[in-house]
Amino acid sequence: MLFSPKVLAATGVLLSIASIGAAHPGEGHEKRMQEAANARMVAAVNARALEACNARPEVKARKQRAIARREGTFDRLRQKRGLKDESFIHRRDDAAFSKWAAVDHNKTGLLDFNENTPAEELFGSNTSCVLAPDNANGPYFVYQELIRQDVAEDLEGIPLHLEFQFIDVNTCEPADVLIDIWSCNSTGQYSGVSAEGQGGLDSTYLRGVQPTDAEGIVSFDTLFPGHYSGRASHQHIIVHVGSKILDNGTYTGGVVAHLSQLFFDQKLIDLIEQLAPYNTNQIAQTKNLEDAFAGYGATEEYDPFVNYIVLGSDVSSGLFAWAELGLNTSSNWDFYAPYASIWQPGGGSDNPNFNFSVVGTPPPTHG
Ligand SMILES: *[C@@H]1O[C@H](CO)[C@@H](O)[C@H](O)[C@H]1NC(C)=O
Ligand SMILES: *[C@@H]1O[C@H](CO)[C@@H](O)[C@H](O)[C@H]1NC(C)=O
Ligand SMILES: *[C@@H]1O[C@H](CO)[C@@H](O)[C@H](O)[C@H]1NC(C)=O
Ligand SMILES: *[C@@H]1O[C@H](CO)[C@@H](O)[C@H](O)[C@H]1NC(C)=O
Ligand SMILES: *[C@@H]1O[C@H](CO)[C@@H](O)[C@H](O)[C@H]1NC(C)=O
Ligand SMILES: *[C@@H]1O[C@H](CO)[C@@H](O)[C@H](O)[C@H]1NC(C)=O
């Protein structure tokens, strides 16, 4: 979760989920309303900027390339797992959260599709995520993680191939940035942090960093996240602008221009939670609609739910999930992205300046 009771006890910080859910605990109602209005305006401006992008011929061509690439990735992943001839299922393309799925998650069904379904329909991103809202960073960001594509290590869980394409809303061009991901394991524990009950400073599982390519794309091989108290299953993701890649396989510097959390259809989560080792997790599940942080995604413009396709005929065969994400590379949200620790070979160290009081606060541009 953002805050396990153990973390709270360990740090002596007393915050309820409800107070974290409020934009800025302790601030006046008027200020919060103003901030919410501002966030909605920024979302609308970004959405319009991206929509304007879509009219450009080079953007249309890029979208066609994206569809072809996703189709290729899907075939490659199925081949690799020996699923070439199996039927598959996928998220209905017109499914969205809030508008987009929060209101009626029954729209987000797993429907049968087959090899005759046009690639455009399967891998197009029309109604999907073009913007994810900025969201709270949570207490478990680790600075200077390893630059690597495969972050699953030897953990058990449902394989999840993530492919993100980042577009700068200022230019409509692919963004030249570093993407940093982390999530908890199937039983709800994070690596890389010293907080009690988590994996410890010498663990790195389900964390990694990748530079975008010329098309603004990164991919990761990870595992479907588990859950912990008070939070729906989610995938953390932040974007660094202007970082320098180091010879030793990490990076330094830059600013955090986007921080968000991606969510998954409830129906998909429910299916996976029935499987081992997810089903050994004794912590009560929090549904998407009960998660205050998923709510940041519930605006007209933002859809923080990834598209996905199951590689074979059941979810244990693994998933391919993708999103096209707009970001403003001129943003600087460093203040909202404090890191709990710094990764170092053989075991990292706690950040002595970690500001725990902002980890539940999203930037003013949250949805
Ligand atoms: C989902 O929608 C279908 C068709 O609209 C309906 O028959 C079914 O009862 C719904 N299921 C739930 C759980 O709401
Ligand atoms: C995507 O949008 C375009 C333009 O609005 C439309 O022509 C196309 O049919 C849509 N594709 C899908 C899969 O909905
Ligand atoms: C991006 O952020 C910068 C700096 O805050 C701002 O001036 C600019 O208007 C933003 N661009 C868009 C398209 O929102
Ligand atoms: C998740 O991580 C914790 C802490 O590292 C570990 O004790 C647990 O065994 C892991 N769960 C699984 C299923 O690997
Ligand atoms: C890489 O080098 C940087 C800068 O010297 C250092 O801070 C970091 O701990 C090193 N990381 C690894 C994985 O060697
Ligand atoms: C920590 O964050 C709070 C805002 O939640 C701020 O008031 C405080 O100044 C910050 N502390 C430091 C050392 O930056």
Side-chain angles (χ1 to χ4, degrees):
M1 79 173 230
L2 267 169
F3 305 88
S4 73
K6 279 175 184 162
V7 174
L8 293 180
T11 56
V13 176
L14 284 172
L15 284 169
S16 71
I17 285 291
S19 76
I20 302 159
H24 285 243
E27 282 179 11
H29 176 72
E30 203 175 304
K31 177 139 190 243
R32 281 205 298 277
M33 294 304 286
Q34 200 183 343
E35 187 189 274
N38 178 45
R40 250 172 246 126
M41 194 193 73
V42 172
V45 167
N46 281 345
R48 275 202 301 278
L50 269 187
E51 211 170 288
C53 291
N54 289 340
R56 292 200 193 171
E58 73 271 21
V59 173
K60 283 189 178 141
R62 189 177 66 219
K63 283 182 183 289
Q64 284 308 315
R65 286 197 300 280
I67 291 168
R69 189 192 58 251
R70 288 174 195 136
E71 191 183 5
T73 301
F74 177 62
D75 286 343
R76 182 170 57 75
L77 292 169
R78 269 161 66 85
Q79 192 114 31
K80 194 169 127 194
R81 301 211 165 92
L83 299 164
K84 207 177 160 347
D85 301 319
E86 256 194 70
S87 62
F88 57 90
I89 47 181
H90 109 111
R91 174 186 168 183
R92 192 173 165 156
D93 202 42
D94 64 1
F97 178 55
S98 187
K99 163 168 132 184
W100 310 116
V103 175
D104 180 7
H105 26 350
N106 191 22
K107 278 189 190 149
T108 306
L110 289 170
L111 299 183
D112 283 316
F113 276 73
N114 60 44
E115 49 286 356
N116 301 320
T117 309
E120 169 89 28
E121 208 172 300
L122 281 176
F123 299 109
S125 272
N126 270 17
T127 57
S128 71
C129 197
V130 280
L131 277 174
D134 285 303
N135 205 327
N137 205 41
Y140 297 143
F141 168 41
V142 176
Y143 181 56
Q144 289 201 323
E145 263 293 343
L146 297 166
I147 293 171
R148 56 179 184 169
Q149 194 270 335
D150 189 338
V151 302
E153 299 187 355
D154 290 327
L155 287 194
E156 272 181 80
I158 301 298
L160 173 63
H161 184 85
L162 291 172
E163 188 185 272
F164 301 128
Q165 183 163 32
F166 283 87
I167 305 301
D168 186 346
V169 298
N170 293 305
T171 61
C172 304
E173 297 289 332
D176 179 14
V177 292
L178 281 190
I179 310 304
D180 205 327
I181 65 160
W182 68 101
S183 63
C184 66
N185 70 7
S186 58
T187 49
Q189 283 98 15
Y190 285 93
S191 68
V193 292
S194 62
E196 197 192 332
Q198 309 299 321
L201 289 169
D202 60 349
S203 57
T204 54
Y205 60 79
L206 309 186
R207 291 181 184 274
V209 182
Q210 286 282 280
T212 52
D213 69 10
E215 295 266 287
I217 296 160
V218 288
S219 68
F220 290 95
D221 280 299
T222 184
L223 298 176
F224 195 82
H227 72 274
Y228 46 87
S229 184
R231 294 301 320 280
S233 308
H234 60 278
Q235 171 71 56
H236 286 275
I237 176 164
I238 68 181
V239 177
H240 305 274
V241 172
S243 303
K244 182 170 180 271
I245 293 179
L246 302 174
D247 289 341
N248 67 9
T250 64
Y251 67 97
T252 186
V255 300
V256 171
H258 177 69
L259 52 155
S260 68
Q261 301 177 24
L262 297 173
F263 295 88
F264 302 90
D265 284 349
Q266 193 61 53
K267 189 158 181 182
L268 177 66
I269 296 170
D270 293 346
L271 280 173
I272 290 177
E273 288 283 342
Q274 290 168 22
L275 305 174
Y278 299 85
N279 62 4
T280 65
N281 189 347
Q282 300 297 312
I283 302 166
Q285 222 187 313
T286 299
K287 304 279 184 184
N288 283 328
L289 292 181
E290 299 157 353
D291 182 323
F293 294 92
Y296 284 127
T299 77
E300 282 297 301
E301 286 83 10
Y302 285 144
D303 178 4
F305 280 63
V306 294
N307 285 295
Y308 66 85
I309 190 158
V310 176
L311 295 175
S313 52
D314 72 80
V315 287
S316 61
S317 59
L319 301 156
F320 167 36
W322 68 91
E324 181 188 336
L325 300 148
L327 87 141
N328 185 342
T329 51
S330 306
S331 301
N332 179 344
W333 300 134
D334 274 354
F335 175 75
Y336 298 93
Y339 49 96
S341 57
I342 308 172
W343 160 246
Q344 267 138 17
S349 52
D350 286 321
N351 175 11
N353 302 317
F354 183 42
N355 191 344
F356 190 83
S357 68
V358 296
V359 300
T361 308
T365 47
H366 63 77

